[in-house]
Amino acid sequence: MGKNENPLLKEFNTPFNAVPFDQIHTEDYLPAFIEIIKKEEEEIDRITSNPEPASFNNTIVALEKAGKLLSRAANIFFNLCSAETGQAMQDVAQQISPLLVEHSGKITLNKKLFERIHVIYLHKDELNTAEEKMLVRNYYTDFTRNGANLDEEKKKRFIEIKTRLSALSLSFDDHVLADTNNFTLHLTDQNDLSGLPQYVIDAAALEAKKQNKSGWIFTLHIPSYLPFMQFAENRSLREKMYQAYTTKGNRGNENDNKEIVREIVNLRLELAQLMDCRSYAEYVLKERMAETPEKVNQFLQQLHLASHPFANKEFDELTTYASHHGADFKIQRWDWSYYSEKLKEEEFGFNDEMVKPYFELSRIIKGIFSLATKLYGITFKEIHHIPVYHPDVKTFEVTDENGQLLSLLYLDFFPREGKKGGAWMTEFLEQSSIEGAEIRPHISLVTNFTKPTNTSPSLLTFNEVTTFLHEFGHALHGMLSRCTYPSISGTSVYRDFVELPSQFMENFAIQKEWLDQIAIHYQTGEKMPEELIRKIIGSNNFHAGYASERQLCFGITDMAWHSIETPYTGSITDFEEKVSASTELFDTVKGSAMSTAFSHIFAGGYAAGYYGYKWAEVLDADAFSVFKENGIFDQKTATSFRKNILEKGGTEHPMTLYVKFRGQEPSINALLERSGLK
């Protein structure tokens, strides 16, 4: 195929300029990236050779425009590497990633370009808007943090490290996905299904049929794994599933990630020390709300001290409960979800199986869309003339209160072999309006929800409803963006601020006014009984101490890995066991490892940033307290949240934006009160 025929190099002749997934083939990516990189380098040359004095328009705006085509191609390729991948895509990723790192390095280490940016930075206070000042500040900071002030030898090493880290992160993720897909629990004895709800059994039968096998197949994908751990009475099978799930990347096979973890943390340390930082955490946190490792560790310790007494009490109560119900053994990690579900059902009179019929996916979609309409006046219309990358994907046209296009929205709900686990929001096109040319975003929301079976539609657990709300909060942050420059629009904000809009939306899952509207039985059409709604709300803080400690364990481990000040050569499991010991309630399980499958920090963007989930919980609890005071659908409050948070992207410092909405800085009290930890 000639370069002019490559769809990634042309304008997309599609409705809304949507990605023509049906025209793009795996073999198109590498030549497209090579050509696009060449074109952007030519653009950079034009900027640096401009005889005119450096100005905001001829340098900063020109840089924003120069990266447009590469950003589009990278969004498409790497989004599909997460949502619809295979060996061919993974191989291409290993070829493309070093090219991108090298290209990025050529830009950030370009002396002439940095000199122009530096001149503008020195005069940034003369610019017209806060957004322009922030953009210049970001470029200057980005260049300096990526080695612009290093000597030539250190610049060369900086690029080598970044290139190697990029390849390692890709391999890490590929290994986790492979270990996830390579394990199945194949059952042929119906007695082994004891305790499992019918929807779980039906899904397992469907999986077995798909693999041309009899019986039932359970996998490590969350819609299969989680209910098995909650309901399966066969303890030995729960242990087998747990062992498989928690040894991903630590099985001593070709997918083992232990050496990758060691190499990643040591390379990150070396990179940070090239930049005169003691640790990678110090390097990262200079560009976060939290600012320093000391502040993060103090924050995590404060929550740990509040959570741990509750977690201990919950553990003791569950141990007693289990022993009263026939457990003549010390409960282990593979017992927690099972007995916790039993105790919750006994205390509150419901379980996931009882509420799932009221959470049919198609109705939840409408309910969440309706919530966005009520809060922000936006509407959603399903469309069928947009190309998609998989038949499961649904597309929607999103319009504002005046009928103007806000966004395209892609929804991709169900697990498959080519999709990573978990749930996330991303974008194929960023919002911008450089020089008045309004570009509306193309947002994608990807989950791994329970699939429909032969006997029922997709019915969600309460946790899946909450996950949907969470990711939809990110989507709103992208869709409602009203910024000028793409690099600071939408979710392009500090990592410990980006979770505020998502976790804010989770609050609606326990609001009676909203549940009354969306919880409708898929067979009878009846509303969820008032008593059941009260039970859901009442149980929201069930085992909140344990849940908090679990999240803190992840955050503490992340900070520990990225706070090392000398290279680490020891055992991966010994390290994580030692640093997380204060949060642990169970005995160590031989072979289990958190770090070897911790994709958020070793293959995602959360290195030295996982604490951000808890940090954002403080923000979201504090923010939602305003809605509770004024009414959860209050238009004035919603408009303020939209105008000051959701539309602003990274145009101002996050705390400045938050105070504009809230009138004051956040307090931890709302979170402790909401979680029952006060």
Side-chain angles (χ1 to χ4, degrees):
M1 177 182 286
K3 66 180 182 180
N4 292 329
E5 297 172 0
N6 192 317
L8 291 162
L9 298 174
K10 302 187 295 185
E11 287 297 318
F12 294 161
N13 186 23
T14 52
F16 308 102
N17 291 316
V19 181
F21 293 109
D22 54 339
Q23 299 173 29
I24 300 171
H25 305 287
T26 305
E27 58 268 23
D28 293 329
Y29 289 109
L30 183 57
F33 274 97
I34 291 171
E35 180 65 21
I36 290 168
I37 286 171
K38 180 185 173 187
K39 287 182 177 179
E40 185 168 0
E41 288 177 351
E42 291 169 356
E43 288 292 322
I44 300 299
D45 286 343
R46 277 192 280 275
I47 294 170
T48 56
S49 61
N50 188 338
E52 295 294 320
S55 70
F56 179 78
N57 281 325
N58 72 20
T59 302
I60 303 300
V61 173
L63 274 171
E64 287 283 290
K65 291 179 175 180
K68 177 182 173 183
L69 202 57
L70 183 59
S71 175
R72 187 182 75 170
N75 285 345
I76 296 167
F77 179 72
F78 289 106
N79 287 341
L80 293 192
C81 281
S82 295
E84 184 61 12
T85 193
Q87 191 58 53
M89 286 285 282
Q90 291 168 5
D91 291 343
V92 174
Q94 291 288 357
Q95 294 175 278
I96 287 174
S97 292
L99 295 179
L100 292 176
V101 174
E102 182 185 8
H103 173 61
S104 175
K106 281 183 179 178
I107 294 174
T108 55
L109 300 178
N110 185 314
K111 188 176 179 181
K112 288 184 179 179
L113 184 58
F114 181 59
E115 286 172 353
R116 293 179 73 90
I117 292 170
H118 192 197
V119 167
I120 301 163
Y121 177 76
L122 292 174
H123 297 278
K124 67 181 185 302
D125 291 338
E126 299 169 18
L127 294 169
N128 296 322
T129 67
E131 184 175 0
E132 291 177 352
K133 293 172 187 175
M134 180 62 80
L135 186 64
V136 170
R137 180 251 175 220
N138 285 356
Y139 267 105
Y140 179 76
T141 303
D142 185 52
F143 272 63
T144 55
R145 285 171 61 79
N146 280 284
N149 285 325
L150 296 177
D151 63 37
E152 291 307 311
E153 186 178 338
K154 287 182 178 179
K155 283 180 180 179
K156 181 182 176 185
R157 182 57 186 152
F158 189 93
I159 292 299
E160 289 173 352
I161 293 171
K162 296 279 279 189
T163 302
R164 180 62 179 156
L165 284 171
S166 175
L168 289 170
S169 291
L170 287 170
S171 295
F172 184 98
D173 231 5
D174 292 345
H175 291 173
V176 174
L177 182 59
D179 268 0
T180 300
N181 289 333
N182 288 346
F183 174 87
T184 57
L185 178 66
H186 183 204
L187 303 179
T188 54
D189 185 346
Q190 193 151 8
N191 292 325
D192 289 336
L193 306 176
S194 183
L196 293 172
Q198 192 59 46
Y199 74 89
V200 178
I201 295 171
D202 290 345
L206 206 61
E207 184 63 30
K209 185 177 180 182
K210 187 174 119 185
Q211 298 189 28
N212 296 315
K213 293 182 179 178
S214 60
W216 305 268
I217 287 181
F218 298 89
T219 73
L220 299 183
H221 294 286
I222 289 298
S224 179
Y225 174 78
L226 196 58
F228 192 93
M229 300 303 292
Q230 287 177 306
F231 298 111
E233 292 178 4
N234 188 320
R235 185 172 187 250
S236 65
L237 291 178
R238 292 203 309 271
E239 180 181 1
K240 188 174 183 179
M241 286 286 278
Y242 178 85
Q243 290 278 11
Y245 191 84
T246 60
T247 56
K248 288 183 289 186
N250 189 39
R251 297 177 186 168
N253 59 12
E254 67 276 10
N255 299 318
D256 199 278
N257 276 334
K258 291 191 290 292
E259 288 301 326
I260 289 181
V261 168
R262 238 188 310 270
E263 189 175 356
I264 285 176
V265 296
N266 289 335
L267 284 173
R268 285 173 174 169
L269 170 63
E270 185 184 352
L271 185 148
Q273 292 182 342
L274 278 175
M275 303 302 296
D276 293 326
C277 294
R278 290 170 301 163
S279 68
Y280 190 70
E282 181 182 320
Y283 171 73
V284 167
L285 291 166
K286 286 182 177 182
E287 289 298 294
R288 299 289 186 267
M289 290 180 77
E291 297 176 332
T292 67
E294 291 75 22
K295 281 188 182 179
V296 171
N297 289 325
Q298 183 182 14
F299 168 74
L300 293 173
Q301 188 63 17
Q302 183 182 14
L303 286 178
H304 167 61
L305 292 174
S307 305
H308 201 65
F310 289 89
N312 274 329
K313 182 171 179 285
E314 292 160 4
F315 184 82
D316 291 342
E317 287 174 349
L318 196 68
T319 299
T320 302
Y321 174 82
S323 66
H324 288 167
H325 289 76
D328 56 352
F329 46 79
K330 184 177 183 180
I331 68 166
Q332 301 293 342
R333 294 175 191 271
W334 51 87
D335 300 313
W336 179 269
S337 294
Y338 177 76
Y339 286 107
S340 178
E341 189 67 25
K342 295 285 186 193
L343 179 57
K344 184 174 78 171
E345 184 175 354
E346 194 167 296
E347 283 195 8
F348 296 98
F350 84 99
N351 59 32
D352 270 347
E353 190 175 8
M354 292 168 62
V355 302
K356 277 173 69 86
Y358 295 95
F359 294 141
E360 181 189 358
L361 177 57
S362 61
R363 192 175 291 276
I364 298 302
I365 294 170
K366 291 176 184 174
I368 290 178
F369 285 173
S370 176
L371 175 58
T373 303
K374 195 175 291 259
L375 291 172
Y376 307 118
I378 63 179
T379 55
F380 302 79
K381 175 187 175 186
E382 185 168 8
I383 51 180
H384 303 279
H385 60 299
I386 300 294
V388 292
Y389 57 84
H390 189 276
D392 282 351
V393 179
K394 296 176 177 288
T395 54
F396 295 84
E397 179 183 358
V398 187
T399 52
D400 65 15
E401 55 271 37
N402 299 314
Q404 297 298 308
L405 178 70
L406 266 181
S407 174
L408 282 187
L409 176 63
Y410 299 81
L411 301 180
D412 180 3
F413 290 114
F414 306 124
R416 52 183 175 267
E417 284 193 4
K419 184 194 282 191
K420 283 169 50 179
W424 61 93
M425 165 268 177
T426 186
E427 55 193 4
F428 290 107
L429 179 66
E430 301 93 345
Q431 180 271 324
S432 68
S433 59
I434 295 181
E435 296 180 352
E438 180 69 22
I439 305 296
R440 295 312 305 169
H442 296 178
I443 304 297
S444 179
L445 195 158
V446 187
T447 66
N448 281 272
F449 289 160
T450 306
K451 286 182 176 180
T453 69
N454 292 331
T455 58
S456 71
S458 176
L459 303 175
L460 305 189
T461 64
F462 178 69
N463 282 337
E464 286 177 325
V465 173
T466 305
T467 297
F468 194 167
L469 282 164
H470 178 103
E471 299 307 332
F472 193 76
H474 283 310
L476 286 170
H477 201 183
M479 292 189 294
L480 293 173
S481 178
R482 291 285 181 190
C483 304
T484 305
Y485 306 102
S487 68
I488 51 175
S489 70
T491 56
S492 297
V493 300
Y494 283 0
R495 184 66 75 173
D496 51 7
F497 186 65
V498 76
E499 297 298 333
L500 166 60
S502 54
Q503 292 181 185
F504 167 82
M505 287 296 287
E506 290 185 39
N507 287 280
F508 288 96
I510 53 168
Q511 304 304 313
K512 182 180 180 300
E513 298 99 311
W514 188 66
L515 287 172
D516 268 340
Q517 296 172 16
I518 61 99
I520 310 292
H521 198 287
Y522 81 101
Q523 290 173 314
T524 67
E526 294 176 355
K527 282 189 171 186
M528 182 181 284
E530 295 273 332
E531 182 183 4
L532 191 50
I533 288 178
R534 284 196 299 272
K535 289 173 179 177
I536 289 176
I537 296 170
S539 69
N540 185 57
N541 287 332
F542 180 67
H543 287 170
Y546 176 83
S548 180
E549 285 290 84
R550 188 72 182 136
Q551 279 291 88
L552 290 170
C553 176
F554 289 133
I556 289 167
T557 302
D558 168 38
M559 284 301 296
W561 276 125
H562 295 107
S563 296
I564 60 171
E565 297 184 12
T566 56
Y568 185 74
T569 58
S571 162
I572 302 302
T573 50
D574 286 352
F575 181 93
E576 64 181 41
E577 285 168 21
K578 181 180 178 182
V579 301
S580 64
S582 65
T583 65
E584 290 294 356
L585 302 171
F586 290 99
D587 294 336
T588 300
V589 178
K590 187 177 180 181
S592 292
M594 175 203 307
S595 301
T596 57
F598 202 166
S599 292
H600 272 74
I601 68 170
F602 292 118
Y606 281 83
Y610 199 85
Y611 75 91
Y613 284 101
K614 298 304 289 184
W615 184 276
E617 276 190 57
V618 172
L619 297 174
D620 92 71
D622 189 70
F624 199 73
S625 68
V626 184
F627 281 79
K628 289 178 74 175
E629 289 170 14
N630 299 331
I632 66 168
F633 302 126
D634 181 64
Q635 289 295 297
K636 185 177 178 182
T637 309
T639 298
S640 176
F641 191 74
R642 175 179 179 172
K643 296 294 183 187
N644 292 304
I645 305 289
L646 298 177
E647 291 186 356
K648 292 294 186 180
T651 56
E652 295 182 67
H653 190 280
M655 191 59 79
T656 302
L657 297 176
Y658 188 81
V659 171
K660 283 183 178 180
F661 161 71
R662 183 71 171 96
Q664 62 190 43
E665 292 194 1
S667 160
I668 198 172
N669 292 331
L671 173 61
L672 296 179
E673 186 175 328
R674 183 182 70 185
S675 304
L677 301 176
K678 204 168 182 181

